[in-house]
Amino acid sequence: QVQLVESGGGLVQPGGSLRLSCAASGTIRTINAMGWYRQATGKEREWVASIPSTGSAVTADSVKGRFTISRGNVRNTVYLQMNNLKPEDTAVYYCVYTSGGLNIWGKGTLVTVSS
């Protein structure tokens, strides 16, 4: 079993920054990918960014240049640095762990961008 705990969401003004964190615990496979999705009210869940245990990160065009995903020094921790936030970035952000065809989702953390 793998458990994910997200943190770092909150209220921020347009143009501001937030950093989301996700820590995975439990039986972690060596080969895995971790990433972030988001879901705004009334919309479908949208992929934001992913980073494999080995290899390069990939980021959705909608946030490229503003959001950066990275792995932490602590094993199986992933971050999402979000800069120049816009009101349309308001959503619940979910961390996901993928390995061997299995997806494990966190409970989500709310990001609200508003003045």
Side-chain angles (χ1 to χ4, degrees):
Q1 290 283 354
V2 174
Q3 297 82 39
L4 301 176
V5 177
E6 302 124 324
S7 60
L11 173 65
V12 63
Q13 292 187 346
S17 298
L18 281 175
R19 189 176 81 154
L20 305 182
S21 301
C22 175
S25 61
T27 305
I28 306 298
R29 296 188 179 189
T30 302
I31 305 299
N32 62 66
M34 295 184 71
W36 293 92
Y37 281 70
R38 66 185 181 184
Q39 188 166 19
T41 303
K43 295 188 177 181
E44 293 186 354
R45 193 168 292 191
E46 172 191 25
W47 169 74
V48 176
S50 297
I51 185 167
S53 50
T54 57
S56 300
V58 287
T59 309
D61 288 344
S62 59
V63 301
K64 194 168 293 183
R66 299 188 298 121
F67 291 12
T68 303
I69 189 171
S70 62
R71 292 262 187 173
N73 291 330
V74 175
R75 185 168 176 253
N76 299 314
T77 300
V78 65
Y79 302 101
L80 186 68
Q81 177 66 42
M82 305 185 294
N83 298 327
N84 190 22
L85 283 159
K86 304 176 181 181
E88 52 264 41
D89 295 318
T90 295
V92 177
Y93 284 71
Y94 296 92
C95 179
V96 61
Y97 164 93
T98 301
S99 185
L102 179 68
N103 292 328
I104 303 293
W105 294 88
K107 294 182 178 180
T109 184
L110 176 63
V111 172
T112 303
V113 185
S114 175
S115 55

